[in-house]
Amino acid sequence: MRITFFILISGLFFSLNGFTQGRDSIIYVTPESVNQKIVEYLKTSTRPGLVYAIFHNHSDTTSILVTTYGKEFTALADLIKNSNRYIKVSDALAIPVLLNEDISMSRTLRTVKNKGSKYESMQTTLVLASGFWVEYKGLYYNVSITKAEYYQN
């Protein structure tokens, strides 16, 4: 169990090459109670792959889906690699973040086929992510976790 967690953490550090580059990163502030739920999930998770999160905020509700991907899904891997957004769940662990809009509107996952012809069409690569879903209301100090469960897409 500890070895799996160590391998997972090591993989995260190697996948965070954008976090250590010279460009400025955007670090999202998430409540400590949410960070603890994410760390607990990562300690017990046996899902293969590199970890990333999908972040969505609407009004006073924020949701974070912590999930994994394989490097063979190059379009998604490139999108994550080029992101400069992270959730820092502990002093030693930052998870790359995508927004819902990154997935639904990215040129990496959407292309126009036969552009300029009458047969022009949109090709979309679907990202059907499953993983640990945390949803909470409020801001940093006044937080109420409304969901903390495994989500299957």
Side-chain angles (χ1 to χ4, degrees), residues 30-97:
T30 50
E32 190 57 37
S33 57
V34 172
N35 293 345
Q36 289 172 351
K37 294 282 186 188
I38 292 171
V39 169
E40 287 171 18
Y41 166 73
L42 291 174
K43 283 182 181 177
T44 60
S45 175
T46 58
R47 292 183 56 143
L50 300 168
V51 176
Y52 75 104
I54 301 172
F55 189 87
H56 180 73
N57 182 273
H58 182 72
S59 191
D60 70 337
T61 302
T62 303
S63 58
I64 301 169
L65 177 64
V66 179
T67 187
T68 60
Y69 70 100
K71 287 184 179 181
E72 63 277 354
F73 190 0
T74 56
L76 181 61
D78 288 345
L79 197 60
I80 293 167
K81 178 182 166 193
N82 290 317
S83 174
N84 67 336
R85 295 183 290 263
Y86 298 87
I87 296 174
K88 193 166 183 178
V89 295
S90 71
D91 288 338
L93 180 61
I95 300 172
V97 173

Side-chain angles (χ1 to χ4, degrees), residues 41 47-48 54 64-68 127-134 147-153:
Y41 166 73
R47 292 183 56 143
I54 301 172
I64 301 169
L65 177 64
V66 179
T67 187
T68 60
V127 176
L128 301 175
S130 299
F132 184 67
W133 182 273
V134 180
K147 287 184 186 177
E149 60 194 23
Y150 186 79
Y151 171 78
Q152 178 71 43
N153 193 349

